[in-house]
Amino acid sequence: MKFHSIHLRNYRGIEDSRVEFGDGVTVVEGPNEVGKSSIHEAITHLREDKSSSRKASVKETQPVGVDAGPEVELHLGTGDYELKYRKRWIKQPFTELSVIRPRPEQLSSDDAHDPVSYT
């Protein structure tokens, strides 16, 4: 599996940030409290938690004092597939899976969550 990019919006202390992953190994480094762990956590929530989840760990990702739902978009490749997988929790929740290759396809809601949660 290869990650191309991850985009976090209103996720913990991150208002809007995109990380592009290059070929080979990408090292994410920086001072404490800049969001390094949030990248890992966001990928885990994206994979495991439906957008309708009310788990405490999901609720904790909503930034303090912001009336917006945490949102994550992951662009990745696995085998012959290239995908964009996107979710928002809490406020106006949604799940979208866009298959770019080998055959374009759009899925939403549980139809988008279920195939990714088992990979």
Side-chain angles (χ1 to χ4, degrees):
M1 184 175 301
K2 176 178 180 0
F3 294 160
H4 299 288
S5 66
I6 187 165
H7 189 180
L8 306 176
R9 287 187 255 348
N10 301 311
Y11 194 92
R12 292 202 174 272
I14 300 169
E15 185 178 330
D16 191 336
S17 184
R18 178 183 302 275
V19 175
E20 301 285 337
F21 299 99
D23 291 332
V25 176
T26 300
V27 177
V28 179
E29 63 91 23
N32 291 340
E33 302 300 318
V34 295
K36 299 179 305 291
S37 297
S38 292
I39 293 171
H40 176 268
E41 179 187 52
I43 293 168
T44 301
H45 283 299
L46 188 65
R47 235 183 122 238
E48 295 177 1
D49 297 316
K50 291 186 176 190
S51 59
S52 60
S53 177
R54 297 291 179 222
K55 289 173 37 178
S57 62
V58 170
K59 290 179 180 180
E60 290 168 1
T61 64
Q62 185 175 23
V64 175
V66 176
D67 190 27
E71 188 174 327
V72 178
E73 180 181 293
L74 182 64
H75 180 194
L76 67 136
T78 180
D80 293 336
Y81 288 86
E82 183 178 354
L83 315 165
K84 283 194 178 178
Y85 190 39
R86 186 171 156 218
K87 280 188 189 175
R88 182 185 312 135
W89 295 269
I90 303 168
K91 295 283 187 172
Q92 299 176 320
F94 68 81
T95 303
E96 297 174 344
L97 175 63
S98 299
V99 179
I100 300 165
R101 283 187 295 118
R103 186 182 77 245
E105 184 177 2
Q106 294 285 121
L107 299 169
S108 61
S109 193
D110 286 350
D111 292 336
H113 173 80
D114 293 339
V116 177
S117 65
Y118 299 111
T119 58

